[in-house]
Amino acid sequence: AQSVTQLGSHVSVSEGALVLLRCNYSSSVPPYLFWYVQYPNQGLQLLLKYTSAATLVKGINGFEAEFKKSETSFHLTKPSAHMSDAAEYFCAVTGGSQGNLIFGKGTKLSVKP
Amino acid sequence: EAGVTQFPSHSVIEKGQTVTLRCDPISGHDNLYWYRRVMGKEIKFLLHFVKESKQDESGMPNNRFLAERTGGTYSTLKVQPAELEDSGVYFCASSQPRAGPPDTQYFGPGTRLTVL
């Protein structure tokens, strides 16, 4: 069985500050992990994914995430927040090559000027 | 290349009525998934097609939901009769089948269903 926990349903940061969105997973098989972003009135867009290659994964828009097996974590970071980063972010896990994604509840990121 | 499209973008219906949602995947994507997000909850898997075959429908909530993918191209999700708890955003996603690490699932913009 697999599950994802995202700590914090809402996160607020100032423009230029570090963004840290937390994701912990549970999986009985080696996981594949994803971060998706949903901007207002749009669909989900892939930010980055971990597929058992490098543990530090770089994505679009300056985001990156590090897979830490010992901590069962896949936290998303960005060194400097921009107003355009305001959106809802979803962490997801799957155990198979074609399996469905299991999502966390999402974290809404607000960026203050 | 066109992305995943969904129709309609919004639907408001009365309890007991029927609604059909449509998803057009990216051309050539054999995998097609339906997901749903009820307000305040996480996005949950409904079912997975490989071409026209249902690979996994373990997430379908009950037999009021019927999904089809005739010809292995677009898919429809019918809710009949609709209940209040069916309200939410229905997402469709598609991907290429592959061995090893999964291909990216590309999501459509979703259909927001409101049942009154």
Side-chain angles (χ1 to χ4, degrees), chain A residues 13-87:
Chain A
V13 300
S14 297
E15 192 172 20
L18 171 72
V19 176
L20 171 60
L21 304 182
R22 299 179 186 273
C23 173
N24 288 87
Y25 70 91
S26 172
S27 179
S28 56
V29 297
Y32 301 117
L33 293 155
F34 305 80
W35 275 99
Y36 281 87
V37 60
Q38 185 179 24
Y39 298 103
N41 301 315
Q42 295 186 28
L44 279 74
Q45 179 182 0
L46 181 71
L47 273 178
L48 49 81
K49 62 182 177 181
Y50 167 76
T51 56
S52 72
T55 56
L56 182 61
V57 182
K58 294 188 183 298
I60 61 171
N61 301 337
F63 285 93
E64 64 181 36
E66 186 171 9
F67 173 70
K68 292 187 176 181
K69 184 177 179 181
S70 60
E71 298 178 9
T72 61
S73 69
F74 191 56
H75 302 330
L76 182 71
T77 60
K78 182 174 179 177
S80 177
H82 193 272
M83 297 296 290
S84 60
D85 295 326

Side-chain angles (χ1 to χ4, degrees), chain A residues 36 49 88 97-98 100-101, chain B residues 31 33 35 37 100 104-105:
Chain A
Y36 281 87
K49 62 182 177 181
E88 191 162 19
S97 61
Q98 297 186 62
N100 55 286
L101 295 173
Chain B
N31 287 323
Y33 305 82
Y35 294 86
R37 189 183 193 194
T104 297
Q105 291 187 26

Side-chain angles (χ1 to χ4, degrees), chain A residues 99-110:
Chain A
N100 55 286
L101 295 173
I102 296 166
F103 286 89
K105 290 188 175 182
T107 298
K108 286 187 177 177
L109 175 67
S110 301

Side-chain angles (χ1 to χ4, degrees), chain B:
Chain B
E1 179 183 295
V4 177
T5 58
Q6 294 186 245
F7 183 82
S9 57
H10 293 82
S11 180
V12 180
I13 61 172
E14 300 278 339
K15 175 183 172 180
Q17 289 185 322
T18 297
V19 64
T20 300
L21 314 181
R22 173 171 169 144
C23 168
D24 285 79
I26 292 172
S27 178
H29 281 192
D30 289 342
N31 287 323
L32 188 149
Y33 305 82
W34 283 99
Y35 294 86
R36 177 175 74 172
R37 189 183 193 194
V38 172
M39 187 178 293
K41 300 288 185 71
E42 63 268 34
I43 300 168
K44 285 198 169 180
F45 166 77
L46 296 178
L47 87 159
H48 170 206
F49 284 99
V50 177
K51 297 184 179 179
E52 66 274 11
S53 299
K54 291 177 185 175
Q55 181 80 4
D56 180 357
E57 52 184 329
S58 61
M60 294 287 263
N62 52 60
N63 59 10
R64 295 185 293 103
F65 289 75
L66 175 64
E68 295 180 325
R69 193 183 181 193
T70 307
T73 55
Y74 71 91
S75 174
T76 58
L77 180 64
K78 180 190 288 187
V79 185
Q80 179 182 30
E83 298 288 345
L84 299 178
E85 63 264 26
D86 300 332
S87 295
V89 181
Y90 290 76
F91 292 102
C92 175
S94 71
S95 71
Q96 286 281 29
R98 53 183 286 187
D103 187 33
T104 297
Q105 291 187 26
Y106 295 89
F107 281 76
T111 293
R112 182 175 296 277
L113 174 64
T114 302
V115 183
L116 302 175

Side-chain angles (χ1 to χ4, degrees), chain A residues 6-18:
Chain A
Q6 290 184 242
L7 295 176
S9 58
H10 289 83
V11 170
S12 182
V13 300
S14 297
E15 192 172 20
L18 171 72

